Amino acid sequence: MTLIKSISGIRGTVGGTCGDSLSPLDIVKFVSAYASMLAKGKQSGCRLKVVVGRDARLSGPMVEEIVCGTLRACGIDVVNASLASTPTVEMAVVFEKADGGIILTASHNPRQWNALKLLNSRGEFLNAAEGAELVEIAGREDFVYCDVDSVGTYVEKDFTDAHIQAVLAHPLVDTEAIRARGFKIVVDAVNSVGGVVMPRLLEALGVECVKINCEPTGQFAHNPEPLPSHLTDLCSMVASEKADLGIAVDPDVDRLALVCEDGTFFGEEYTLVSVADYFLSRVQGPTVSNLSSSRALRDITEAHGCTYTASAVGEVNVTEEMKRTGAVIGGEGNGGVIVPDLHYGRDALIGTALFLSLLARSGKKVTEVRAALPQYCISKNRIELSDKSLIDRILNGLKQLYASERITDIDGVRIDFDARKMWVHLRKSNTEPIIRVYSEAVDAESADALAKEIIAAAMRIIE
């Protein structure tokens, strides 16, 4: 497996040959490059500080030791949050007035994966230009380490309670209404850090919490991506426990998936849509999601008299567009909710608290909330090709073929058939000769049919 260097960090499987996995040498190299980048922007003689945190995957403690040791060897003071969610580490960078942060998580990837996710002094992910600079510095390998008198200091701190208190203090989180409802909620945290964080949040909100897979052992009980096929136990438990709601988070707790009180899946795309509907009913302003996310957010936003904008795929791209437009809420259709007046990062804790506020204030059941939202279905497909050179031919050909429709090409090609409330988004893989095809329509049959139409047109282009 090739080491993947992308806008979302340095990612790979643990174990194997250096350069073909996330090996200890790779970790040292990229952390040293990150330290070099931070040092460039700091005045001579000033100490640098970096916050480090990780999810519960098996390789976490080993990677944590290497990362902390490398930072200290570069003369950087380390604040180790240790077992902490991704949004917690992002906020900890700000709490500590640190120069950056490193999160050790491969998010929804299986247990053999890990990654270095790198933050700036605002607790936000590096952008594409900064990521390219990091890779270039790492490639040179001309690092300078400090002398013995300048080795960085080390301290351990737990920031989870500070994160929870910030969530509870958000003006749209109605803690009194939530406590008054006496909710019972089942939580599936896939044996990672969510098993520590989410029950603490729910307890602070006065919610009865039924826990499954909440021991942070790193032995993921199922595929860690929070999709319906992976959450059958959660769905069954919600129904059997007569719970008000089911909650699933991924290993680093930046994605939130919901299960209705009858055990049916709420729909990962609708986490952001429902929370945004509640948010916009109280605070007016623009919204943003990425090009592969549901049209439902646009519908909800416009129904509130506000403006919606789509960004390229990737959390960094979403947050940059949110800043450009002054968005009050945004995120991604994978269950990622971003509330900028808390922090610019996907955060399952604020997503949960806002959704519970919606439930508590409305008095509705989760199925009733879902039924009141715009109804769409997304179909996910892909085109496998023999040669990566064919990808651009297909994308350019489709732009010409569907030129009469609304075309967006900031990230692959998205074609909006506005008259039919349908769209299709084609994105190329960074590593394989594959085009991913996402299509959405008012029902599953129409979404599948649109995907088949576009794929057939793509094949004709290269015949």
Side-chain angles (χ1 to χ4, degrees):
M1 174 60 68
T2 302
L3 190 67
I4 299 171
K5 308 156 199 169
S6 71
I7 196 169
S8 59
I10 310 301
R11 178 166 48 104
T13 54
V14 173
T17 306
C18 182
D20 289 334
S21 64
L22 189 65
S23 72
L25 289 176
D26 290 313
I27 296 167
V28 170
K29 180 169 69 173
F30 284 101
V31 172
S32 299
Y34 176 66
S36 297
M37 284 182 62
L38 294 183
K40 282 174 54 181
K42 200 73 173 177
Q43 291 182 350
S44 177
C46 292
R47 301 286 296 189
L48 290 161
K49 183 196 295 186
V50 169
V51 178
V52 177
R54 63 176 177 87
D55 68 16
R57 64 186 61 235
L58 298 176
S59 61
M62 177 271 290
V63 177
E64 175 184 87
E65 290 182 8
I66 297 171
V67 168
C68 292
T70 302
L71 289 170
R72 296 181 68 198
C74 295
I76 293 178
D77 296 336
V78 174
V79 179
N80 187 6
S82 196
L83 203 59
S85 74
T86 283
T88 300
V89 179
E90 292 169 349
M91 296 191 71
V93 171
V94 178
F95 293 153
E96 285 289 312
K97 297 181 173 59
D99 300 281
I102 301 180
I103 308 166
L104 316 177
T105 175
S107 192
H108 61 274
N109 292 109
R111 62 201 288 274
Q112 68 269 28
W113 287 81
N114 213 328
L116 309 175
K117 294 191 173 183
L118 308 171
L119 306 174
N120 60 26
S121 60
R122 298 183 301 276
E124 300 165 14
F125 291 119
L126 302 186
N127 61 32
E130 291 165 335
E133 181 184 359
L134 176 88
V135 172
E136 189 270 328
I137 294 171
R140 293 203 310 265
E141 295 189 33
D142 55 351
F143 311 120
V144 177
Y145 300 101
C146 67
D147 59 42
V148 67
D149 294 316
S150 302
V151 170
T153 61
Y154 177 87
V155 65
E156 295 181 0
K157 290 187 180 181
D158 186 344
F159 296 95
T160 295
D161 285 339
H163 182 183
I164 290 172
Q165 288 307 310
V167 168
L168 298 183
H170 191 279
L172 295 191
V173 173
D174 194 334
T175 55
E176 291 185 8
I178 294 170
R179 289 192 181 98
R181 280 291 300 271
F183 289 121
K184 181 179 183 180
I185 296 177
V186 184
V187 175
D188 183 346
V190 71
N191 300 114
S192 191
V193 69
V196 176
V197 176
M198 297 306 292
R200 280 163 72 173
L201 170 69
L202 295 175
E203 180 182 349
L205 288 167
V207 172
E208 180 184 351
C209 180
V210 178
K211 297 184 281 188
I212 57 175
N213 304 323
C214 280
E215 289 295 320
T217 62
Q219 297 281 6
F220 299 154
H222 52 75
N223 186 306
E225 187 162 15
L227 300 177
S229 59
H230 307 150
L231 299 174
T232 53
D233 288 347
L234 175 62
C235 293
S236 298
M237 184 74 78
V238 170
S240 65
E241 287 283 335
K242 296 182 171 53
D244 298 286
L245 174 68
I247 288 175
V249 293
D250 63 339
D252 67 325
V253 203
D254 61 355
R255 292 170 59 180
L256 173 65
L258 306 172
V259 173
C260 301
E261 79 282 353
D262 62 356
T264 58
F265 200 63
F266 188 77
E268 197 179 24
E269 287 285 337
Y270 281 85
T271 300
L272 172 60
V273 176
S274 58
V275 170
D277 190 25
Y278 168 72
F279 204 99
L280 293 175
S281 69
R282 285 152 180 82
V283 176
Q284 297 283 288
T287 67
V288 173
S289 63
N290 69 40
L291 287 169
S292 289
S293 297
S294 176
R295 178 193 165 103
L297 180 61
R298 172 185 164 187
D299 289 0
I300 286 292
T301 302
E302 292 176 349
H304 285 284
C306 301
T307 304
Y308 166 81
T309 310
S311 76
V313 173
E315 184 174 337
V316 174
N317 297 318
V318 175
T319 57
E320 287 185 346
E321 185 64 15
M322 289 178 70
K323 291 176 182 179
R324 189 189 72 80
T325 61
V328 296
I329 190 167
E332 297 183 290
N334 59 10
V337 176
I338 301 173
V339 179
D341 60 355
L342 183 69
H343 70 112
Y344 274 106
R346 296 182 304 186
D347 189 333
L349 282 78
I350 188 64
T352 296
L354 289 172
F355 188 81
L356 290 179
S357 299
L358 162 64
L359 280 188
R361 285 187 167 190
S362 68
K364 294 180 179 179
K365 295 180 179 179
V366 182
T367 48
E368 294 171 335
V369 171
R370 179 67 176 83
L373 297 171
Q375 302 297 307
Y376 293 104
C377 293
I378 288 182
S379 178
K380 297 182 180 181
N381 300 274
R382 60 194 216 169
I383 303 171
E384 297 185 5
L385 302 165
S386 58
D387 190 336
K388 290 180 74 171
S389 66
L390 298 173
I391 293 176
D392 287 338
R393 278 179 57 191
I394 288 174
L395 297 182
N396 290 329
L398 289 172
K399 285 167 63 175
Q400 294 175 16
L401 185 62
Y402 291 96
S404 61
E405 305 294 345
R406 184 157 60 91
I407 304 288
T408 308
D409 59 3
I410 58 173
D411 182 5
V413 173
R414 173 163 159 153
I415 308 166
D416 277 88
F417 303 86
D418 287 327
R420 293 186 285 165
K421 289 194 171 185
M422 301 166 68
W423 58 263
V424 63
H425 185 205
L426 297 98
R427 296 185 70 234
K428 60 184 176 183
S429 166
N430 291 324
T431 57
E432 302 172 280
I434 289 172
I435 300 176
R436 293 184 172 87
V437 181
Y438 302 87
S439 56
E440 183 180 63
V442 294
D443 55 61
E445 294 77 14
S446 299
D448 289 338
L450 177 59
K452 289 176 182 177
E453 173 192 331
I454 297 298
I455 291 170
M459 293 298 98
R460 289 194 298 271
I461 287 168
I462 58 175
E463 283 177 354

